[in-house]
Amino acid sequence: MRVNDKDYRTVWMEDGVVKLINQPLLPNTFEIYSCQNYRQTAEAIKTMIVRGAGAIGAAAGYAIAQAYLSDEDIQKAAQVIKNTRPTAQNLFYAVDKVLKAADKKEALSIAQQIADEDAQACKTIGEFGVPLLKDNAQILTHCNAGWLAFVDWGTALSPIYAAKRQGKKLFVFVDETRPRLQGARLTAWELSQEKIPHAVIADNAAGYYMKKQQIDLVITGADRIALNGDTANKIGTYEKAVLAKENNIPFYMAAPLSTIDFTCESGDAIPIEERDEKEVLEVRGVRLTPNQSRAKNPAFDVTPAHYIKGIITEKGIFKPDKIKQLAPQ
Amino acid sequence: MRVNDKDYRTVWMEDGVVKLINQPLLPNTFEIYSCQNYRQTAEAIKTMIVRGAGAIGAAAGYAIAQAYLSDEDIQKAAQVIKNTRPTAQNLFYAVDKVLKAADKKEALSIAQQIADEDAQACKTIGEFGVPLLKDNAQILTHCNAGWLAFVDWGTALSPIYAAKRQGKKLFVFVDETRPRLQGARLTAWELSQEKIPHAVIADNAAGYYMKKQQIDLVITGADRIALNGDTANKIGTYEKAVLAKENNIPFYMAAPLSTIDFTCESGDAIPIEERDEKEVLEVRGVRLTPNQSRAKNPAFDVTPAHYIKGIITEKGIFKPDKIKQLAPQ
């Protein structure tokens, strides 16, 4: 997608260096972060300089390729990279795929292919999703499942970009998405760049607008989809799904097939990352709470399949109970 | 209630001086603000050094008493005080009540009675609510309906304080309550002072803990209760009520009878204040979103009666459909 009149991906590789859009600096500053070796790339994943399922997957694939290029212990590198973020399925998928490479050239080629396939899958998700968006539709999204979370296009936002390019008028309600504010910071930034009308709202206000029937549909991304259609995504997604059902508003998730964990029977088996309580206790380094107060900070929740009207993938839109059929034969 | 192991009210009068806990300084600094005359007290109400229906009412009553004590023009003083916060019903009630005093002594006595009655109503709410809290109960609350919003004890938090004093072990999940963070700032501070174990959570995480059955009940305050039991409260309350119902968790509200609007048939008739978008776009003066992004900021939502298991008042716990019976004859 375009930033300041240039085309960018969120992550790419150049002469053995992994380049990332430095996401914690957005929306204030647009800057490219360079990782010279797999350890730096792993650290960038861990510290969320790159975040979002697809972008993490591509970065992890490139990181393994970096390990190949500099003749590192590949198995050790894989372990380091896999230990960065526990919930995103794409990370494990990418690492394991590049690990099968016979040599440096093949590792590079597989890593590049993972990134390209991610971008293409997201573009196709947009094409499948666009008929869901009527002209003048009002859409709620949570967190950031735009192109910053992938290599390009994004998932939840991809149908919105595609519809915009077809000339449809849309309005997007953007959950700010505490604690890390990916909605307020990243989704709002993407929509601003694409000149799509939107309003940021406190996460608390989504139900208010649903009850007033000002939201026609909800689309979010997905971090891991279990075989039964239960889906892990950013904390708060489950709340929006329950509220959408209560107000008869269709709730869609958008994700590439790589997000499906075919080894995972149900959402109960998806591990949920508990992040540093500081993300809740502080905003941008400013303490909000009393010094004695503690916080709890689960980063994801699981939305049971029965709240999900459909999952928009690069192979079409599927009801959650059909996910099982997509398993590789 | 206890602050640094000493007993305080949010507002009291001492030798003609109105003393207030300076709430905008919390939770960082605990400081008593002194108002030498009714003009200073009125200004403190206006600038929200004191906030919360019950606390505002008591401060307004004391302000009129100050006007009596210093032989001011009482009618003019009443006008100045009534002009501070146009929507707070308790303010008008308190001013008009003290205005009936025949002399200084009676003015002081009525003002004191208003404060004492508020504290007593809240204490009684605690006593009625305490049987709802089993030992080791885990409670979710939203916003601040604690003693800082009243003269003492509070509403939603009053049963928690009462149960604590009976030796019950409790744990409170505190919704941070964006955009104004009354949970993170004020409720967390109150609970810290009372040494009640608690964790602040992003508003997004409440559903996660409900689904895990880690929350035994939800208690919030109420800003206005309609005759049919529909209740307006801080934005996000509706979301928590829907999620509580979905997870079979009892959802209670706590409020004195003065919160019931007997002229209001249903929640549809309750006007919802839309506040400055800056409260969403910024936290403590730090911009979160891109400069081009706009926000929407409804301050309250309405929870339909059928989500509310009971309303805890100083006359007992009522099902929402019994509220109508409490109308003055």
Side-chain angles (χ1 to χ4, degrees), chain B residues 105-106 123 197 204 263 280:
Chain B
K105 195 180 157 195
E106 200 188 350
K123 189 166 194 285
N204 281 323
T263 72
V280 176

Side-chain angles (χ1 to χ4, degrees), chain A residues 27-28 142 171 173 176-179 181 184-185 188-189 192 198-209 211 235-236 238-240 242-243 246-247 272 274 280-281 283-284 286-290 292-298 300-304 306-307, chain B residues 27-28 142 171 173 176-179 181 184-185 188-189 192-193 198-209 211 235-236 238-240 242-243 246-247 272 274 280-281 283-284 286-290 292-298 300-302 304 306-307:
Chain A
N28 307 57
H142 189 72
F171 185 88
F173 287 89
E176 64 173 357
T177 318
R178 278 281 288 152
L181 296 161
R185 292 170 44 242
W189 184 78
S192 293
H198 63 279
V200 179
I201 55 172
D203 302 301
N204 281 323
Y208 172 82
Y209 289 110
K211 182 154 158 279
I235 190 74
Y238 164 69
E239 294 197 353
K240 303 319 156 197
V242 169
L243 285 154
E246 192 77 2
N247 290 285
I272 299 297
E274 179 92 21
V280 176
L281 297 172
V283 169
R284 301 244 175 136
V286 178
R287 180 93 184 187
L288 305 172
T289 60
Q292 308 94 308
S293 291
R294 306 298 305 268
K296 286 176 183 282
N297 185 19
F300 302 92
D301 56 27
V302 172
T303 299
H306 67 274
Y307 295 105
Chain B
N28 307 58
H142 190 72
F171 186 89
F173 287 88
E176 63 173 357
T177 319
R178 278 282 288 154
L181 295 162
R185 292 171 46 241
W189 183 80
S192 292
Q193 292 297 329
H198 63 282
V200 178
I201 56 173
D203 302 301
N204 281 323
Y208 172 82
Y209 289 109
K211 182 155 157 280
I235 190 74
Y238 164 67
E239 294 198 353
K240 303 319 156 197
V242 169
L243 285 154
E246 192 76 1
N247 289 286
I272 299 298
E274 179 92 19
V280 176
L281 296 172
V283 169
R284 299 239 179 142
V286 178
R287 179 92 184 189
L288 305 172
T289 61
Q292 306 95 308
S293 292
R294 306 297 306 268
K296 286 176 183 280
N297 185 19
F300 303 95
D301 57 28
V302 172
H306 66 276
Y307 295 105

Side-chain angles (χ1 to χ4, degrees), chain A residues 69-119:
Chain A
L69 290 179
S70 48
D71 299 310
E72 305 262 6
D73 178 337
I74 304 296
Q75 293 304 328
K76 189 186 151 201
Q79 215 42 61
V80 169
I81 296 159
K82 283 183 174 180
N83 281 343
T84 52
R85 299 287 308 279
T87 305
Q89 173 61 19
N90 304 53
L91 188 148
F92 303 101
Y93 167 84
V95 168
D96 291 338
K97 197 158 179 182
V98 183
L99 270 184
K100 289 182 182 131
D103 54 28
K104 294 178 185 186
K105 195 180 158 197
E106 199 188 352
L108 257 180
S109 155
I110 297 173
Q112 189 56 45
Q113 188 191 9
I114 289 169
D116 291 344
E117 281 175 0
D118 182 86

Side-chain angles (χ1 to χ4, degrees), chain B residues 17 19 24 45 65 69 74 109 123 137 151 166 171 187 205 215 220 223 231 250 265 272 278 280 309 314:
Chain B
V17 178
K19 306 267 191 169
I45 294 170
L69 290 179
I74 304 294
S109 155
K123 189 166 194 285
V151 173
Q166 292 180 11
F171 186 89
T187 298
I215 290 170
T220 74
D223 279 277
T231 299
E265 282 296 327
I272 299 298
K278 274 193 181 175
V280 176
K309 170 112 176 169
E314 70 272 35

Side-chain angles (χ1 to χ4, degrees), chain A:
Chain A
M1 307 288 281
R2 292 184 78 77
V3 184
N4 303 332
D5 298 321
K6 271 185 69 181
D7 271 320
Y8 282 92
R9 286 182 164 190
T10 51
V11 47
W12 69 98
M13 198 164 176
E14 223 174 272
D15 302 327
V17 178
V18 175
K19 305 268 192 169
L20 307 167
I21 293 178
N22 192 332
Q23 299 200 30
L25 300 185
L26 291 174
N28 307 57
T29 305
F30 177 73
E31 204 173 275
I32 305 305
Y33 187 89
S34 295
C35 308
Q36 305 296 330
N37 53 52
Y38 87 79
R39 284 182 194 81
Q40 288 182 6
T41 307
E43 192 62 20
I45 294 170
K46 195 167 184 173
T47 58
M48 300 178 73
I49 285 167
V50 61
R51 36 62 60 193
I56 286 174
Y62 284 134
I64 292 286
Q66 283 182 308
Y68 271 88
L69 290 179
S70 48
D71 299 310
E72 305 262 6
D73 178 337
I74 304 296
Q75 293 304 328
K76 189 186 151 201
Q79 215 42 61
V80 169
I81 296 159
K82 283 183 174 180
N83 281 343
T84 52
R85 299 287 308 279
T87 305
Q89 173 61 19
N90 304 53
L91 188 148
F92 303 101
Y93 167 84
V95 168
D96 291 338
K97 197 158 179 182
V98 183
L99 270 184
K100 289 182 182 131
D103 54 28
K104 294 178 185 186
K105 195 180 158 197
E106 199 188 352
L108 257 180
S109 155
I110 297 173
Q112 189 56 45
Q113 188 191 9
I114 289 169
D116 291 344
E117 281 175 0
D118 182 86
Q120 185 54 50
C122 286
K123 189 163 192 288
T124 309
I125 284 170
E127 287 156 10
F128 278 116
V130 77
L132 300 174
L133 306 180
K134 294 202 179 71
D135 199 28
N136 295 309
Q138 305 213 125
I139 305 132
L140 174 73
T141 190
H142 189 72
C143 195
N144 175 254
W147 71 277
L148 289 171
F150 292 85
V151 174
D152 211 350
W153 291 94
T155 52
L157 299 189
S158 186
I160 292 169
Y161 295 141
K164 173 78 186 327
R165 275 152 212 225
Q166 292 179 12
K168 287 183 183 172
K169 284 193 171 51
L170 304 170
F171 185 88
V172 184
F173 287 89
V174 180
D175 277 352
E176 64 173 357
T177 318
R178 278 281 288 152
R180 290 181 64 88
L181 296 161
Q182 294 95 334
R185 292 170 44 242
L186 305 178
T187 297
W189 184 78
E190 289 192 24
L191 296 172
S192 293
Q193 294 281 330
E194 291 284 323
K195 298 178 175 53
I196 293 171
H198 63 279
V200 179
I201 55 172
D203 302 301
N204 281 323
Y208 172 82
Y209 289 110
M210 287 196 225
K211 182 154 158 279
K212 284 168 73 90
Q213 296 295 318
Q214 289 191 22
I215 290 170
D216 300 306
L217 84 167
V218 185
I219 312 181
T220 73
D223 280 275
R224 196 188 299 201
I225 303 170
L227 276 177
N228 70 344
D230 292 353
T231 299
N233 191 47
K234 180 62 57 233
I235 190 74
T237 302
Y238 164 69
E239 294 197 353
K240 303 319 156 197
V242 169
L243 285 154
K245 187 161 203 199
E246 192 77 2
N247 290 285
N248 296 309
I249 296 166
F251 182 91
Y252 288 92
M253 290 172 130
L257 294 180
S258 58
T259 310
I260 304 168
D261 182 351
F262 292 107
T263 71
C264 180
E265 283 296 327
S266 85
D268 296 338
I270 301 176
I272 299 297
E273 178 183 7
E274 179 92 21
R275 293 185 55 83
D276 193 329
E277 65 174 359
K278 274 193 181 174
E279 293 182 352
V280 176
L281 297 172
E282 300 177 353
V283 169
R284 301 244 175 136
V286 178
R287 180 93 184 187
L288 305 172
T289 60
N291 290 329
Q292 308 94 308
S293 291
R294 306 298 305 268
K296 286 176 183 282
N297 185 19
F300 302 92
D301 56 27
V302 172
T303 299
H306 67 274
Y307 295 105
I308 305 165
K309 171 111 176 171
I311 299 176
I312 313 168
T313 76
E314 70 272 35
K315 298 289 184 200
I317 303 176
F318 296 90
K319 291 203 180 303
D321 60 5
K322 304 295 183 207
I323 286 297
K324 202 172 280 201
Q325 301 170 5
L326 295 169
Q329 299 307 309

